[in-house]
Structures are given as structure tokens and as C-alpha cells.
Amino acid sequence: MSAIWTFALAFAFASLFVWQQDGVDLQLMDFRRTWLVPFTSFFEQGVEDVTGERSGIKSVDSYVSSEGPAAKAGLLANIGPSGSKASGAKAGVVIASPSTSNPNYLYTWVRDSSLVFKTIIDQFTSGADTSLRPLIDDFVTAEAKLQQTTNPSGSVSSGGLGEPKFNIDETAFTGDWGRPQRDGPALRATALISYANWLRANGNTTFVSNTLWQMIKLDLDYVASNWNQATFDLWEEVSSSSFFTTAVQHRALREGSALASALGQSASVTNYNTQADSVLCFLQSYWNSNSYITANTGGGRSGKDSNTILASIHTFDSAAGCDAATFQPCSDKALANLKVYVDSFRSIYSINKGIASNGAVAVGRYPEDVYMGGNPWYLSTFAVAEQLYDALIVWNKQKSIAVTSTSLAFFQQFSPSITAGTYSSSTSTFTTLISDIKSFADGFVALNAKYTPSGGGLAEQYDRNSGAATSAVDLTWSYASALTVFAARQGTSSPSWGASGLKVPSTCNTAGSGIPVTFNVNATTQLGENIYVTGSVDALKNWSPDNALLLSSAKYPVWSLTVNLPASTSVQYKFLRKFNGQVTWESDPNRQISVPASGSFTENDSWR
Ligand SMILES: *[C@@H]1O[C@H](CO)[C@@H](O)[C@H](O)[C@H]1NC(C)=O
Ligand SMILES: *[C@@H]1O[C@H](CO)[C@@H](O)[C@H](O)[C@H]1NC(C)=O
Ligand SMILES: *[C@@H]1O[C@H](CO)[C@@H](O)[C@H](O)[C@H]1NC(C)=O
């Protein structure tokens, strides 16, 4: 969840104000900290909390034992029809949060719901909680209904599966929004496939073939046809290609192909595998020469983003070892990326001041974030810990740790003199690294613990200056992220999805993926007014004012959108404004660009 599109302009102004306010607070905080709190290396000595107690490893254990049940109760309270905070939600519908204003999250997102139910399904199939089955069946029924609900992205057969959110009574949400978001169908397929695999193993192939496969096939056919089209990212702000989306699409296609094979659906096996090879190829292109993953192909930011950590944990497959092609949690690329991402928050949040340069810090979505003041997120901070716990699971299983030139900087945080090489479990280097990295991971949990209010409620964020919980209360995804990180800390991992032994094709087939073209238009708007683009090709919605694509106001007064257009073509387009249902086109003539044969293209216009 994120920028509220209808209030995009108000948000653009508010964020300027918040930045200034932060600047003031930051200085005050620095001043207070220098005389109140002695410099303490959290990593070596643990952090002192306000009561003067040490909150080191031990308190992480006690946090896990109290927060685990609290998170599960908080998560279940947000699922209809009987969740105590989900009144009005239909059976199996997950509300994102009960918060109804500033922000209003009383909707159901396909992404959040699918991640939440993947957690529930894993608890059910592992035998940890067999009482969850009726709820899972409710989820299946609810999502089957939403798939068939025509919405502003289209009908079930014309793009509607890319719709990000619905009303909690299972009707379409028809307001302006960053759509489509193409991670939703992939994540839903992954959740349903994990249930289908358990049912098959338990002799109930009938329900899989008659019900689940029908739904999974709709989602995966959508992914197979659209993975190379522009999408809004998981934070609903940037329309381009997005690492998280591509990674979860790849996973869903692979496990979908295995399920199709088990069900004798050979045409789907071929289709999904062919596309998955291309997606895996494309996935490699997000890695950049500064040794981290660029989260989005558009958006004009550093690209350091929790998106990439979340992708690694949600595509973890302990059978795949430390494979870098799928950015497994212990791969050299994913570890190098983790360090760059974490380091980008060391100096920007005042609650991180005074923490040693190799200690755990509170982290947010991305360093440039200004949403709600731009704060640490519980789910982002838990995700870093989870990636590290997942890595520990694999290193302990394979009884060695490989350090490469790519991951050297990550490992030097723990052992400054370490060199590239493979350290087996009989070496003291291995033992020390395992112990230090476990403490490092625990440090991220300890920070969330420190900023969890008594009672265990998890909001979306906590304030970068005070640490007070802020933004949406009882965020269902925050609770799910607590449950998955605690499971990983215990050494538990989800069933394999088939990441083992995958090879990146030597040439990438991204035919049809087009050229990323960024439209920038400098346009002053009034509160509630938004800027759109449409034009002469499918990707620009063929001159349809109704289906025109919404631009992002994140860089107001410059409105921006990246969309993939066919290479080597001449494309005509115009911007339009929508305000209170009224459409205003730009004056004639049509604008025109020549899309290049390769690379990318940025067009800079001013409203006319
Ligand atoms: C198969 O699973 C579905 C969904 O839980 C259930 O409704 C059905 O009764 C099951 N069938 C059998 C034969 O167990
Ligand atoms: C946008 O246009 C206004 C008015 O023409 C101009 O003053 C301003 O500098 C422009 N801003 C940017 C970022 O191009
Ligand atoms: C638009 O501006 C960007 C930098 O702001 C520049 O790289 C790009 O070349 C410009 N596009 C055109 C078509 O001039």
C-alpha cells in the first residue's frame, strides 16, 4: 500500500513539509542522543532500552515467544467474516488493515492477501495448525469470486486479473489507482499451488483438478502473457518493470508448470516453462555494476529497495543452495545487495544514530521514501532478518560458506580480514560467521521488538525519530512477516518450488517486451486532478480516455510514467487531465515519438 492516488497532489505538497520537519527533528534528536545515550555497539554489546535493560539475544527469544501468538491473533482478526477487526469483510477476505483514515486501508489487496494466505497454508500443510483448513477454503472461494469480478483493469479475460485491490464486500474498487499490478496473480497462484500440492499428496486430486487448477491456470496464463508488460511495483508508485514482480512471476510459472505436469496439462507445461526461461533471463538484468539489485527499471531512484529483500525471501528454496540465478538468500548477489540496502538507512533515520557501522539498523521501503514521513517498516526490517536466517539454514545444511568477490564486503562486516574462498564447517571461520550472522539477524528482530508497543500490535511503520508506531494500525502483512521470520529463525523453510538446478538461457527471448519509454510531463494540477496518457498503440490503450494510463505525481509538478512500447515504431500520444469525472485533452496536434530499436527512451514534455 502506499500513495493515495486521489490525493496525489496533496501528498506531493505534504511530503515537502514533512522533509523540512524531519530536518529539524533530526538535529534535535542528534543533540539529545549525544548526551542521553552513550554510544553502544548494538552488534557487540546489545542495545540498552529505555528501562536500562539489555535487549540482546535473550530478549529476542522472549519477544518471539510473546509476539508469535500476538501476530497470529492479529492476522486472524483481519480476515472475514468472523475476524474481530474485519467486520463487513466477506468470508476469506483479508483486510489490509482496519485503519479507515490517514491511511484508509480497509480494502483487500490481492498481493497482501496472497502473502498472508501463503503463511496460513504453510502452517496448515506443515501440521503446525490443522484448524486452518476451513479458512483456507474460504480464501479459495473469495479469490475465485474476485478473479471473475470485472474491474477498471478489465474482465477476467481482458486484463482484470492485474487489478490490485477490491472492496471488502468483493465488489470492484473503481477509483483512480496505480494499476495494473502484475505480482498479484503470481502470488495468488503460489499460495493456491502450495495448497494444491498438499491436497494431491493427501489423495484429493478431485478438488485440485476441478477447482484450484481452474483458478491457478487463469492467473498463470495471465502471467505468461503479460510478464513483460509494464506494472506498478509492490509499493504502487512506479510503473515499469519491478524485480519483486519478475521474481515472484518466475517462481509461480515454475511451480505451476510442475503442477500442470502432475495433472497431465501438457500445453500449460510447455507454455509456463518457455516463459519461465525468458523471465529468468530478464531477472538477471536487474543486477547492476554497483553490486546491488535495481528494484525497478523506472522511477528515477537509487533502486535500493526492500522490494529486493522481499523477493529473495518469497522465492527462497532451501533445495537450491546459494544459487545466484534465482537470487537465493545466501547467494553472493543477494548478500551483497542486502548490505547495500541496509547501509542506505544508517544515516537517514535518527533512531539509527549511534549504531555501529556493522550493526543491525531499522530499515524502510527505500531511502528516498517520503510516504507518511518516510519511516522504518516492520515488514522490511523483519525481511532482512528472514533473508539472513534463510541463509543460515542453507549454510548449516550444506556445511560450508562460500565467500566470493561479489559477497566479500558483506562478510567483511563480520571478519574484516576474510578473503574469498570456501569455509567448511570444520573451520573456525565458519563457526564464527554462523554465530555473528545469527546475532546480526537477531539485531533486526530486536529493533522491531524495541519499537513494538506493549500488547504486540504491529502497525505499518514506526517513526524515524521517536520510534513510535505510525501509519496503518494492525497491518495484516506486518503480522504475516513476523510469523515467517520467526519460522525461519527456528530453521523452518517452506516446501521447495523447483529452483534447484535452473540454468539461465544463454540468449534472452524478451520478444514483445518492448522498450521502456518514460513520459515526463510538467503539468500544474489542482487538488484531486490527475494526469493520464493515451495514444496510438495497445500499450497506450489506443486513444481511450477511459483506459488512459495514470502518471505518478511523485516528482510533481513533473508527472511521470514508464511503459514498454514496441521497438522501432513511431507512436502518437497525448496527455489528458481528469478532474471530477471531466476529461480535458491537450491541444492539437498529437505528439509523436520514435521508439528506438534498443535501450530505453525518456521524453520530456510540458502540458499544452
Ligand atoms: C477435498 O478438499 C476439499 C477442500 O477442502 C473438500 O471440500 C473436499 O471435501 C475434499 N474431498 C475429499 C474427498 O476429502
Ligand atoms: C515546470 O513548468 C513551470 C512553468 O512553465 C516552470 O517554472 C518550472 O521550472 C518547470 N519545472 C520543471 C521541473 O521542469
Ligand atoms: C529528457 O531528459 C533526460 C534527463 O533529464 C535526458 O536524459 C533525456 O535525453 C531527455 N529526453 C529527450 C528526448 O531530450
Coordinates of all heavy atoms in Angstrom, one line a residue, residues 382-419:
F382 N 11.9 -7.0 9.4 CA 11.8 -8.4 9.6 C 12.4 -9.2 8.3 O 13.0 -10.2 8.4 CB 10.4 -8.9 9.8 CG 9.8 -8.7 11.2 CD1 8.5 -8.4 11.4 CD2 10.7 -9.0 12.3 CE1 8.0 -8.3 12.7 CE2 10.2 -8.9 13.6 CZ 8.9 -8.5 13.8
A383 N 12.1 -8.6 7.1 CA 12.6 -9.3 5.9 C 14.1 -9.4 5.9 O 14.6 -10.5 5.4 CB 12.0 -8.5 4.7
V384 N 14.8 -8.4 6.3 CA 16.3 -8.6 6.3 C 16.7 -9.7 7.2 O 17.5 -10.6 6.9 CB 16.9 -7.2 6.8 CG1 18.4 -7.4 7.0 CG2 16.6 -6.1 5.8
A385 N 16.1 -9.8 8.4 CA 16.4 -10.9 9.3 C 16.1 -12.2 8.7 O 16.8 -13.2 8.8 CB 15.6 -10.7 10.7
E386 N 14.9 -12.2 8.0 CA 14.5 -13.5 7.4 C 15.4 -14.0 6.3 O 15.8 -15.2 6.2 CB 13.1 -13.4 6.9 CG 12.5 -14.7 6.4 CD 11.0 -14.8 6.1 OE1 10.3 -13.9 6.7 OE2 10.6 -15.6 5.3
Q387 N 15.9 -13.0 5.5 CA 16.9 -13.4 4.5 C 18.1 -14.1 5.1 O 18.7 -15.1 4.7 CB 17.3 -12.3 3.6 CG 18.2 -12.7 2.4 CD 18.8 -11.6 1.6 OE1 18.1 -10.6 1.3 NE2 20.0 -11.8 1.1
L388 N 18.6 -13.5 6.2 CA 19.8 -14.0 6.9 C 19.5 -15.3 7.6 O 20.3 -16.2 7.5 CB 20.3 -12.9 7.9 CG 20.7 -11.6 7.3 CD1 20.9 -10.5 8.4 CD2 22.1 -11.8 6.6
Y389 N 18.3 -15.5 8.2 CA 18.0 -16.8 8.8 C 17.9 -17.9 7.7 O 18.3 -19.0 7.9 CB 16.7 -16.8 9.5 CG 16.7 -15.9 10.8 CD1 15.6 -15.0 11.1 CD2 17.7 -15.9 11.7 CE1 15.6 -14.3 12.2 CE2 17.7 -15.1 12.9 CZ 16.6 -14.3 13.1 OH 16.6 -13.5 14.2
D390 N 17.3 -17.5 6.5 CA 17.2 -18.5 5.4 C 18.6 -18.9 5.0 O 18.9 -20.0 4.7 CB 16.5 -17.8 4.2 CG 15.0 -17.7 4.5 OD1 14.5 -18.3 5.4 OD2 14.3 -17.0 3.7
A391 N 19.5 -17.9 4.9 CA 20.9 -18.2 4.5 C 21.5 -19.1 5.5 O 22.2 -20.1 5.1 CB 21.7 -16.9 4.4
L392 N 21.3 -18.9 6.8 CA 21.9 -19.8 7.8 C 21.4 -21.2 7.7 O 22.1 -22.2 7.9 CB 21.5 -19.2 9.2 CG 22.3 -17.9 9.6 CD1 21.6 -17.2 10.8 CD2 23.8 -18.3 10.0
I393 N 20.1 -21.3 7.3 CA 19.5 -22.7 7.1 C 20.3 -23.4 6.1 O 20.7 -24.6 6.3 CB 18.0 -22.6 6.7 CG1 17.1 -22.1 7.9 CG2 17.5 -23.9 6.1 CD1 15.7 -21.8 7.5
V394 N 20.6 -22.8 5.0 CA 21.3 -23.4 3.9 C 22.8 -23.7 4.2 O 23.3 -24.8 4.0 CB 21.2 -22.6 2.6 CG1 22.1 -23.2 1.4 CG2 19.8 -22.5 2.1
W395 N 23.5 -22.7 4.8 CA 24.9 -22.9 5.2 C 25.0 -24.1 6.2 O 25.9 -24.9 6.0 CB 25.5 -21.6 5.8 CG 25.7 -20.5 4.9 CD1 26.1 -20.6 3.5 CD2 25.5 -19.1 5.1 NE1 26.2 -19.4 3.0 CE2 25.8 -18.4 3.9 CE3 25.1 -18.4 6.2 CZ2 25.8 -17.0 3.8 CZ3 25.1 -17.0 6.1 CH2 25.4 -16.3 4.9
N396 N 24.1 -24.1 7.1 CA 24.2 -25.2 8.1 C 23.9 -26.6 7.4 O 24.5 -27.6 7.8 CB 23.2 -25.0 9.3 CG 23.8 -24.0 10.3 OD1 24.9 -24.1 10.6 ND2 22.9 -23.1 10.7
K397 N 23.0 -26.6 6.5 CA 22.7 -27.8 5.8 C 23.8 -28.3 4.9 O 24.2 -29.4 4.8 CB 21.4 -27.5 4.9 CG 20.8 -28.8 4.3 CD 19.4 -28.4 3.7 CE 19.5 -28.6 2.2 NZ 18.2 -28.4 1.6
Q398 N 24.4 -27.3 4.1 CA 25.5 -27.7 3.2 C 26.9 -27.7 3.9 O 27.9 -28.1 3.3 CB 25.5 -26.8 2.0 CG 25.9 -25.4 2.2 CD 25.7 -24.5 0.9 OE1 25.0 -24.8 0.1 NE2 26.4 -23.4 0.9
K399 N 26.9 -27.3 5.1 CA 28.1 -27.4 5.9 C 29.3 -26.6 5.4 O 30.5 -27.0 5.5 CB 28.5 -28.8 6.2 CG 27.5 -29.6 7.0 CD 28.0 -31.0 7.4 CE 27.2 -31.6 8.5 NZ 25.7 -31.6 8.3
S400 N 29.0 -25.5 4.7 CA 30.1 -24.6 4.2 C 29.5 -23.3 3.8 O 28.3 -23.1 3.6 CB 30.8 -25.3 3.0 OG 29.9 -25.3 1.9
I401 N 30.4 -22.3 3.8 CA 30.0 -21.0 3.4 C 31.0 -20.5 2.3 O 32.2 -20.6 2.5 CB 30.1 -19.9 4.6 CG1 29.1 -20.3 5.7 CG2 29.9 -18.5 4.1 CD1 29.2 -19.4 6.9
A402 N 30.5 -20.1 1.2 CA 31.4 -19.6 0.1 C 31.4 -18.1 0.1 O 30.3 -17.5 0.2 CB 30.8 -20.1 -1.3
V403 N 32.6 -17.6 0.1 CA 32.7 -16.1 0.1 C 33.3 -15.8 -1.3 O 34.3 -16.4 -1.7 CB 33.7 -15.6 1.2 CG1 33.9 -14.1 1.0 CG2 33.2 -16.0 2.5
T404 N 32.7 -15.0 -2.1 CA 33.2 -14.6 -3.4 C 33.5 -13.1 -3.5 O 33.2 -12.4 -2.5 CB 32.1 -14.9 -4.5 OG1 31.1 -13.9 -4.4 CG2 31.5 -16.3 -4.4
S405 N 34.1 -12.7 -4.5 CA 34.5 -11.3 -4.6 C 33.2 -10.4 -4.6 O 33.2 -9.3 -4.1 CB 35.3 -11.0 -5.9 OG 34.5 -11.4 -7.0
T406 N 32.1 -11.0 -5.0 CA 30.8 -10.2 -5.0 C 30.3 -10.1 -3.6 O 29.8 -9.0 -3.2 CB 29.8 -11.0 -5.9 OG1 30.3 -11.1 -7.2 CG2 28.4 -10.3 -5.9
S407 N 30.5 -11.1 -2.8 CA 29.9 -11.0 -1.4 C 30.9 -10.6 -0.3 O 30.6 -10.6 0.8 CB 29.3 -12.4 -1.0 OG 30.2 -13.4 -1.1
L408 N 32.2 -10.4 -0.8 CA 33.3 -10.1 0.2 C 32.9 -9.0 1.2 O 33.1 -9.1 2.4 CB 34.5 -9.8 -0.6 CG 35.8 -9.7 0.2 CD1 36.1 -11.0 0.9 CD2 37.0 -9.3 -0.7
A409 N 32.3 -7.9 0.6 CA 32.0 -6.7 1.5 C 31.0 -7.1 2.6 O 31.1 -6.6 3.7 CB 31.5 -5.5 0.7
F410 N 30.1 -8.0 2.2 CA 29.1 -8.4 3.2 C 29.8 -9.1 4.3 O 29.6 -8.9 5.5 CB 28.0 -9.3 2.5 CG 27.2 -10.0 3.6 CD1 26.1 -9.4 4.1 CD2 27.5 -11.3 4.0 CE1 25.3 -10.0 5.1 CE2 26.7 -11.9 5.0 CZ 25.6 -11.3 5.5
F411 N 30.7 -10.1 4.0 CA 31.3 -10.9 5.0 C 32.4 -10.1 5.8 O 32.7 -10.4 7.0 CB 32.0 -12.2 4.4 CG 30.9 -13.2 4.0 CD1 30.6 -13.3 2.6 CD2 30.3 -13.9 4.9 CE1 29.6 -14.2 2.3 CE2 29.3 -14.9 4.6 CZ 29.0 -15.0 3.2
Q412 N 33.0 -9.1 5.2 CA 34.0 -8.3 5.9 C 33.4 -7.5 7.1 O 34.1 -7.0 7.9 CB 34.7 -7.3 4.9 CG 35.7 -8.0 4.1 CD 36.3 -7.2 3.0 OE1 35.7 -6.2 2.5 NE2 37.6 -7.5 2.6
Q413 N 32.0 -7.4 7.0 CA 31.4 -6.7 8.2 C 31.6 -7.5 9.5 O 31.6 -7.0 10.6 CB 29.9 -6.6 8.0 CG 29.4 -5.8 6.8 CD 27.9 -5.9 6.7 OE1 27.2 -4.9 7.0 NE2 27.4 -7.0 6.2
F414 N 31.8 -8.8 9.3 CA 32.0 -9.7 10.5 C 33.4 -10.1 10.7 O 33.8 -10.4 11.8 CB 31.1 -11.0 10.3 CG 29.7 -10.6 9.9 CD1 29.3 -10.8 8.5 CD2 28.8 -10.0 10.8 CE1 28.0 -10.4 8.1 CE2 27.5 -9.6 10.3 CZ 27.2 -9.8 9.0
S415 N 34.2 -10.1 9.6 CA 35.6 -10.6 9.7 C 36.3 -9.7 8.7 O 36.4 -10.1 7.5 CB 35.6 -12.1 9.3 OG 37.0 -12.4 9.2
P416 N 36.9 -8.6 9.1 CA 37.5 -7.6 8.2 C 38.6 -8.2 7.3 O 38.8 -7.8 6.2 CB 38.1 -6.5 9.2 CG 37.2 -6.6 10.4 CD 36.9 -8.1 10.5
S417 N 39.3 -9.3 7.8 CA 40.4 -9.8 7.1 C 40.0 -11.0 6.2 O 40.9 -11.6 5.6 CB 41.5 -10.2 8.0 OG 41.0 -11.1 8.9
I418 N 38.8 -11.3 6.2 CA 38.4 -12.5 5.4 C 38.7 -12.4 3.9 O 38.7 -11.2 3.4 CB 36.9 -12.9 5.6 CG1 36.6 -14.3 5.3 CG2 36.0 -11.9 4.9 CD1 35.2 -14.8 5.8
T419 N 39.0 -13.5 3.3 CA 39.2 -13.4 1.8 C 38.3 -14.4 1.1 O 37.7 -15.3 1.8 CB 40.7 -13.8 1.5 OG1 40.9 -15.1 2.1 CG2 41.7 -12.8 2.0

